[in-house]
Amino acid sequence: MKFTYSSGQRPLHGYSLKRGIGRGGFGEVYYGVSDGGKEVALKLLHGNHDMEMRGVVQCLNLKHPNLVNLYDLKTDPQGSYWVVMEYVAGEPLNVVLSRHPQGLPVELVRQWFEDLAMAVGYLHDHGIVHRDLKPANLFLENGTLKVGDYGLSKFISGSQRTAQTQSVGTVHYMAPEISTGNYNKQIDIYAAGIILYEMLTGRVPFEGESAGEILMKHLTAPPDLNKVPPEFVPILAKALCKNPVHRFASIAEMARAIETTSLDAPPAPPPLPSRPAPVSAPAKLPRPRTAEGILDALPALTARARLAELCNSLALSTVFAALGVALWAALVRSGEITDLGSVFFLTVAATWAVLIPAKIWTCRRGDTWGRRLIMMGLGALVGAASLWLDGTFPQVSMAHPTGEPGFMISTRELLPAASGPISYFALAFFGLRWWRMAERRRSQWFSLGPILAAGCWGLLLLAIWQQPWRGALVLGMAAAIVQLVSPWEQPPPPANRRLRLRCA
């Protein structure tokens, strides 16, 4: 993605650009820092200045916790216009939805739609229509949804007349009446209905190979509501009506309808005392989704935060490995530097072989056998490192048919010597679910169970492969260190009360 400015430039007085974070039909958005140290988002406008600036001026003094704040409108020495906005460090909703192709948990949908409704309702109360509601303009930060890019809006008017000649909005979220130039608040309710459908199912209701085909479906085709939960069917049927008169009168009314939906069936009335009810099997009620189930299904951190955590864990694991080797040396009164050094480096290698893939797998569920095979390959690499540390890689002999050196490689000595340590560590990593020790929401921060399992498994393999004693020690220390350095969050207790979910 090519941006006009690069990191470190100061096209606008008082602000330094750090990086470009997005582009659209109306401009480029940069992450920047003011001279005072305040993080901001700076939007450079491209074309449509009158319409864009008119919308920004209307919104400069709006303040709401679910709106991305607009701070100022400035002009640089080249005459270009810049909008200074709040910088939201979280992800846009479309990125979250891309990780959940089957839709989000219903409780999370209710929570985020409530935030969306409050922000859009606040705009409507101030006579402003957003006109471009879509997941890419909805941002998530610390569990709160914020609506951005509302500078494209205009004042609500009873007239359908518009001086605008360029289409505004995204075709998948356009209400049918936009084709007639009607831009009242009903188009935001229609777009909110599309977003609600997408959050529940993971896809938009109308798709096609061209913009014209999608627009025609908005005008004529009814949405397929068979894929949404039954309690949301009447809500979406009303929000996505072709005739805006038949939709919800306000976004707040739609939010109240969603709030009243329930996942549980109503309890059956008690039987009349005069007529005993026949004995029958009790009906199975749908099991309510607990907060733990919802949180476990959702990754909690951005990629940058996970990378920072991983680097911290790798550094700490090196320190703990050194402390563990020193403690072992004190207990067994060993002064052999070579053995201690080998144990240290093998422990670090084994720990890193667990931590790195576990951090990559933090957003994925299941896939046990695939992970075991990957861990097996990493264990083989640790075994190869063991051979290298010992200096026991056999000398590869070179032989020429005429007796001259430098022609053929003999592997008769290479394979038997290398197979022992490599097979040992490969099976040691294959036999246990090591990634469980690094899970953020494991049952306990530190437990002796994984350490004993790793040590016993290592001793069993030692008895089979007749390898040096240090293999079991390395596995036990790695199991302890992985738990010590991996971030841990106490799993939430199962409860029926509503929790504020931070991210997906």
Side-chain angles (χ1 to χ4, degrees), residues 361-415:
W361 290 329
T362 187
C363 296
R364 297 169 56 190
R365 309 288 294 175
D367 194 23
T368 300
W369 285 105
R371 298 185 186 192
R372 286 181 186 270
L373 292 176
I374 293 175
M375 296 302 299
M376 184 177 181
L378 294 173
L381 293 178
V382 175
S386 173
L387 289 172
W388 179 77
L389 288 171
D390 288 344
T392 56
F393 259 173
Q395 298 294 326
V396 179
S397 60
M398 309 290 288
H400 192 277
T402 61
E404 299 178 3
F407 181 73
M408 297 178 62
I409 300 177
S410 174
T411 60
R412 287 179 298 177
E413 296 181 3
L414 176 62
L415 293 180

Side-chain angles (χ1 to χ4, degrees), residues 281-427:
K284 292 184 179 180
L285 298 178
R287 184 178 180 181
R289 188 186 297 267
T290 64
E292 181 179 2
I294 294 175
L295 288 170
D296 284 346
L298 306 175
L301 295 174
T302 63
R304 177 179 296 181
R306 290 198 300 270
L307 180 60
E309 279 190 350
L310 175 60
C311 294
N312 184 57
S313 298
L314 296 180
L316 285 176
S317 65
T318 305
V319 175
F320 280 115
L323 294 175
V325 170
L327 179 61
W328 174 259
L331 291 176
V332 301
R333 301 181 183 277
S334 173
E336 184 61 40
I337 300 299
T338 302
D339 288 343
L340 295 180
S342 298
V343 171
F344 168 74
F345 285 111
L346 282 180
T347 303
V348 173
T351 305
W352 286 21
V354 175
L355 291 173
I356 294 175
K359 187 61 66 174
I360 298 174
W361 290 329
T362 187
C363 296
R364 297 169 56 190
R365 309 288 294 175
D367 194 23
T368 300
W369 285 105
R371 298 185 186 192
R372 286 181 186 270
L373 292 176
I374 293 175
M375 296 302 299
M376 184 177 181
L378 294 173
L381 293 178
V382 175
S386 173
L387 289 172
W388 179 77
L389 288 171
D390 288 344
T392 56
F393 259 173
Q395 298 294 326
V396 179
S397 60
M398 309 290 288
H400 192 277
T402 61
E404 299 178 3
F407 181 73
M408 297 178 62
I409 300 177
S410 174
T411 60
R412 287 179 298 177
E413 296 181 3
L414 176 62
L415 293 180
S419 61
I422 292 178
S423 300
Y424 173 81
F425 281 101
L427 289 178

Side-chain angles (χ1 to χ4, degrees), residues 295-296 298 300-301 309 439-445 486-492 502-503:
L295 288 170
D296 284 346
L298 306 175
L301 295 174
E309 279 190 350
E439 284 185 348
R440 178 181 296 274
R441 294 190 178 92
R442 55 191 183 273
S443 58
Q444 294 179 335
W445 169 62
S486 297
W488 180 71
E489 293 180 5
Q490 185 174 1
R502 298 184 67 85
C503 48

